[in-house]
Amino acid sequence: MMVSCCGLITSQKEPVPLKSVEVELEVKDHVATVVSTLNYHNQEDKPLEAVFVFPLPGDAAVCHFSATVGQTEIVAEVKEKQEAREEYDDALSSGQQAFLLEESEQSPDVFSLSVGSLPPGESASIRLEYVTELAVQADEGLRFLLPAVLNPRYQPQGSVGSEGSNVQVTSVPASLVPYTLSFSARVSSPRPVSKVESSSPLDPLQYLNTEQTQATVKLAAGHKFDRDVELLIYYKDAHQPSAVVEAGQASSQPGSLMGDSVVMLSLYPEFPQAVMSSVASSGEFVFLLDRSGSMHGERIKNARDTLLLLLKSLPLGCYFNIYSFGSSFEHIFPKSEDYNQKTMEEALKKVEEMEANLGGTEILEPLKHIYRQPSIPSQPRQLFVFTDGEVGNTKEVINLVKQNSASHRCFSFGIGEGASSALINGLAKEGGGHAQFITGADRMQPKVMQSLRFALQPSVVDVSVKWDLPSGVSVTALSPPIAAVFQGQRSLVYAQFTGQSSEASEGCVTVAYSLAGHPSQTQLHFSLKPAEDSGLTVHRLAARTVIRSLEMQVREPGGQEDAGGKKKVVDLSVQSGVSSVFTAFIAVNKSNSEAIQGPLLRRAIPTPRMRACKVFMVPYSMRMPVMSCDMAQLPQMSPMMGPAFGQKTCKKKRQRAGGMPELPQMSPMMDQSDTLESCRPKQPPRDPLLQLVSLQKASGCWLLDPHLAAVLGKTSEEVEKPKPASVKQDVWATILALIWLHGFKMDAQEEWELLAMKAVSWLRAQKASLVTECVEAGNALLGCNVQKDAVGL
């Protein structure tokens, strides 16, 4: 079968030039520096060339790329992309070794590495370094992800870069992957490190000092990078605002971004408890669910269960609608409907029938349809997007959300291994919302309900940042204006300080905003004295922030590319040494005296064959899709590999339109798992918690019926008998449901907290009598000891 793919193709008989991959992570507070070393050896009698396509975090700033051949280290320079490509081609044409690293024009989380002219018997070591901010999770952990998976990206018809050549895939069992991998991390912070968790097995955390502010951790031996490596880092007192001032580069021009000091502010606004305990009773909630083929199995089941929880947790008085998409899209109602028992039941019935059977992943059209719907007065629009993030037109999608950012907030959820961090983070960032990733054995529900709580928080408006600096020091904001502020969530602000003060060495920043009609502010005093030995990490992250903002402006949808804006990006990218879509890293070994003779052989790293019905890619930088169901039954893939996978010979003989290999893509007509429904496991019986939730009415109450009795593990007679005589049946049923939740399901409280609040509000509105007696009788019936005030009564 012919499929589009990532990485190079080789028969299993050919030697594999990659021998090992080593990844070292250094985390300082909430910033990570990652150094990856890829070691190659050419065991053949002809020179080799290799091209690899691999993922990085979407907001990573690639800041160093070098190659060591023998005793010679060649450090790459950042150059305008076309210039770098031509220099690479010229080097290969003249028989020199050359190395090229470039970012995809379709998605900023995908890179291509070309290793050209590795002589027979020669070894080469490639070193790649990047810095990235660590996102704060709902449970206050900082999330680092080393992407090992690059799923085929679905490319809609008619979009840029949808032409290419056929490439055939080969694979080997995971146990036969012929290279080794290692991963280690060092964590340091002003605050103690309380724990480090991972979806992969870890060796025990080793503390390096008695204060426990420094620690090291490694992946357990024998780990194959056949899935993303996720680390969750927890600090004590994580929510302290902080400022890191970093000195400029002595060799750079004063007044330039790299020549001046740069500050990174980390702010955690705290909202008054009175505001936080109230939940909005209005809003238009639009849920957009990916039903492409790759969502089959557990993913779509998890999504259905999550929509059940969301629909039960919505407040009476709001509006809602559910869209789902694949190659086409559907919506449950023609326009958002008032939330009540009738509309909720109608929606749930359709959710129960949803399968991953809509083909590809075309998210742009349903988004356009949603944005075309007129806003409902006094009902702020909140958009929830659930996707496994396998789209090729990432930048186009994010631009559309940005264009409509004034009319809504967007909350995004990346489902499963390989969800594009650029897409998921970009949707939330440009939509003023919050991003969550659901991987491995994670339950989707707690993370989604956390985001619903954010959506129900009062919206923060009129955000302003004011600086108070000594005379002689001026400030230039480098970050885009803050669009969203949520309780307990970090806001990062970068700024450049020009000039110096002879007197005061302290500055102050005030972030002011309006919350639920009340003016509020967060203030931070900080020293202007640069931190010791911080390198240029903050400068590079700040440069990356500016570059991303400029790139968005250069390519406004429907407009011509802005040549002046593009020059600004290229200049800043070259000056800071940070990659961009318009530049590339190029290294040429000019010290080798003999030109390499003969045409270059192309060699690839075979992919591991993973568990059934899933699509995985091989580790960190050598990828092509592997389908482990019967190949003959899989759909035909679109032939969309980019031209750079063609044989490289003399520059004059090559067509390199577009340069970098296209992302691995799927046919516009179907997703690669579209025909895998036969692999789906039988549906297990529904979890008792979800059964109880499914019985709740839109108003918040439960009815006393056999279904409720069954969930509680009782007969109808056993449930009805202890009810105090004058108490209404639905009041008694609702109190029993609340006691059961508090008595047996406290470990999942974040999942049911909002719908329990709705039930308590309903009970209060009934002005129910004998509540104390009901709680005592309910405890006796269910064998619990739940206090009345714990339930909220």
Side-chain angles (χ1 to χ4, degrees), residues 111-129:
F111 282 74
S112 162
L113 167 61
S114 302
V115 178
S117 299
L118 190 60
E122 187 73 86
S123 294
S125 177
I126 306 291
R127 180 184 163 102
L128 171 68
E129 185 177 325

Side-chain angles (χ1 to χ4, degrees), residues 382-589:
Q382 316 270 11
L383 175 62
F384 286 67
V385 180
F386 302 87
T387 177
D388 55 14
E390 298 171 6
V391 304
N393 56 340
T394 302
K395 290 186 178 177
E396 210 177 340
V397 173
I398 292 171
N399 260 324
L400 181 64
V401 173
K402 182 185 179 185
Q403 284 177 290
N404 291 277
S405 59
S407 65
H408 80 306
R409 287 198 288 189
C410 180
F411 297 85
S412 55
F413 305 89
I415 300 168
E417 303 285 344
S420 164
S421 61
L423 177 71
I424 305 304
N425 287 327
L427 288 173
K429 190 172 181 180
E430 297 302 337
H434 184 68
Q436 304 257 29
F437 289 85
I438 297 119
T439 57
D442 283 358
R443 278 172 63 78
M444 192 186 299
Q445 289 81 0
K447 293 190 174 185
V448 174
M449 299 314 291
Q450 173 73 35
S451 289
L452 181 59
R453 287 211 70 125
F454 285 152
L456 291 169
Q457 282 180 19
S459 191
V460 170
V461 294
D462 301 328
V463 184
S464 66
V465 179
K466 185 184 170 194
W467 300 87
D468 186 8
L469 301 170
S471 61
V473 180
S474 62
V475 63
T476 305
L478 301 174
S479 303
I482 298 173
V485 179
F486 295 111
Q487 165 71 14
Q489 284 299 298
R490 182 190 66 196
S491 295
L492 278 182
V493 178
Y494 294 97
Q496 175 182 340
F497 294 147
T498 304
Q500 287 186 328
S501 167
S502 53
E503 312 133 21
S505 60
E506 189 179 80
C508 174
V509 64
T510 305
V511 179
Y513 48 89
S514 178
L515 176 69
H518 302 288
S520 193
Q521 65 178 38
T522 299
Q523 199 168 63
L524 177 65
H525 292 265
F526 58 91
S527 168
L528 287 171
K529 190 180 176 192
E532 295 292 319
D533 302 326
S534 58
L536 289 169
T537 303
V538 173
H539 280 74
R540 285 165 174 158
L541 287 170
R544 181 62 159 168
T545 300
V546 177
I547 285 168
R548 281 284 173 253
S549 296
L550 288 169
E551 284 174 351
M552 296 281 275
Q553 294 162 25
V554 169
R555 292 185 159 175
E556 288 292 352
Q560 294 297 309
E561 194 171 272
D562 172 11
K566 180 178 175 180
K567 184 177 185 305
K568 279 186 194 170
V569 173
V570 171
D571 289 349
L572 181 54
S573 178
V574 170
Q575 181 202 133
S576 62
V578 169
S579 63
S580 79
V581 71
F582 302 123
T583 52
F585 281 90
I586 174 71
V588 177
N589 185 4

